[in-house]
Amino acid sequence: GAVVSQHPSRVICKSGTSVKIECRSLDFQATTMFWYRQFPKQSLMLMATSNEGSKATYEQGVEKDKFLINHASLTLSTLTVTSAHPEDSSFYICSASGALQYFGPGTRLTVL
Amino acid sequence: GEDVEQSLFLSVREGDSSVINCTYTDSSSTYLYWYKQEPGAGLQLLTYIFSNMDMKQDQRLTVLLNKKDKHLSLRIADTQTGDSAIYFCAESRFTGGGNKLTFGTGTQLKVEL
């Protein structure tokens, strides 16, 4: 299957700082990438849909000014958690969509 | 309702078959998927089935689809300890922004010796 990478895999930051997470499709071009959030022992919650060259579409209840998404190329999307707070601590997973949807390994964010 | 439902937990003995069930909501779903998630990791695509199929077999995995009842199942033959993980079903719907997935609640599979 196709390979999707995420960087970093784990990040710990202080409250009030911003954190950028990168999602890359390594062996295919993805016009659409998705960002999910997963709380412990729960399912994935779609945060936003990211299309190359256009603004992201956010799901209801997700603050677009808080979670900035940029899809600069067909192989890279970034999620920036701005002014992070402890309640933003979570597992963030991206996926890249070709014919099927392939997931990255996830980024564990801990905000102190 | 809006939720894609799965039973929360399944325990089997090594070598037995496992059957994980899923009830989805959207009859217009084009693809239905099964993903596997190991602790602390992302999701691994296991298999998928087109909505116009009833069954798909891929090595140890068999997917059955009952469109009338909106029921999807994943059978794992000869279950091994390495199969212990959380399994998510997902339904997809094409929107203007791409294929959107709605995930089930996840089934924790525990394989015992």
Side-chain angles (χ1 to χ4, degrees):
Chain A
V3 179
V4 177
S5 70
Q6 273 184 250
H7 177 79
S9 57
R10 183 182 292 264
V11 57
I12 300 172
C13 69
K14 291 183 179 179
S15 190
T17 59
S18 294
V19 175
K20 181 186 280 188
I21 303 169
E22 290 186 350
C23 177
R24 292 182 186 271
S25 57
L26 297 184
D27 52 2
F28 71 105
Q29 293 183 327
T31 52
T32 304
M33 291 184 172
F34 299 89
W35 286 95
Y36 296 83
R37 186 173 179 175
Q38 187 180 32
F39 291 103
K41 299 195 185 301
Q42 292 191 25
S43 188
L44 278 72
M45 181 191 79
L46 179 65
M47 298 174 67
T49 303
S50 168
N51 288 298
E52 187 264 338
S54 64
K55 289 185 179 179
T57 303
Y58 290 82
E59 294 299 299
Q60 194 172 8
V62 178
E63 299 175 60
K64 61 180 181 181
D65 295 329
K66 172 86 173 159
F67 299 101
L68 300 178
I69 291 172
N70 184 274
H71 195 149
S73 74
L74 288 172
T75 58
L76 173 64
S77 177
T78 59
L79 168 69
T80 301
V81 182
T82 62
S83 187
H85 290 282
E87 57 265 29
D88 299 323
S89 298
S90 193
F91 194 53
Y92 292 88
I93 307 177
C94 72
S95 70
S97 182
L100 300 174
Q101 216 175 109
Y102 297 95
F103 284 78
T107 297
R108 172 76 58 194
L109 171 63
T110 304
V111 185
L112 302 176
Chain B
E2 293 288 327
D3 294 338
V4 178
E5 296 182 349
Q6 299 177 237
S7 52
L8 288 178
F9 192 77
L10 175 65
S11 179
V12 299
R13 289 198 172 182
E14 189 177 41
D16 288 350
S17 292
S18 308
V19 179
I20 302 171
N21 294 301
C22 170
T23 303
Y24 62 98
T25 61
D26 190 345
S27 59
S28 64
S29 292
T30 50
Y31 297 78
L32 293 136
Y33 302 84
W34 283 103
Y35 286 90
K36 175 183 179 183
Q37 185 179 36
E38 299 188 39
L43 272 67
Q44 174 193 353
L45 177 62
L46 286 179
T47 187
Y48 62 94
I49 187 167
F50 289 104
S51 58
N52 62 357
M53 297 169 66
D54 298 323
M55 187 192 86
K56 178 180 179 180
Q57 186 164 2
D58 184 2
Q59 299 183 334
R60 292 192 297 125
L61 305 178
T62 302
V63 179
L64 295 179
L65 175 61
N66 181 328
K67 282 193 73 174
K68 176 176 168 288
D69 295 336
K70 296 182 194 166
H71 185 262
L72 182 73
S73 68
L74 173 69
R75 179 177 179 270
I76 305 173
D78 187 24
T79 313
Q80 303 296 307
T81 54
D83 295 323
S84 293
I86 299 177
Y87 291 80
F88 291 97
C89 65
E91 59 179 358
S92 77
R93 190 157 43 90
F94 184 79
T95 67
N99 265 318
K100 229 177 174 182
L101 295 183
T102 301
F103 284 88
T105 46
T107 299
Q108 170 101 47
L109 173 64
K110 182 178 178 184
V111 182
E112 298 174 327
L113 296 172

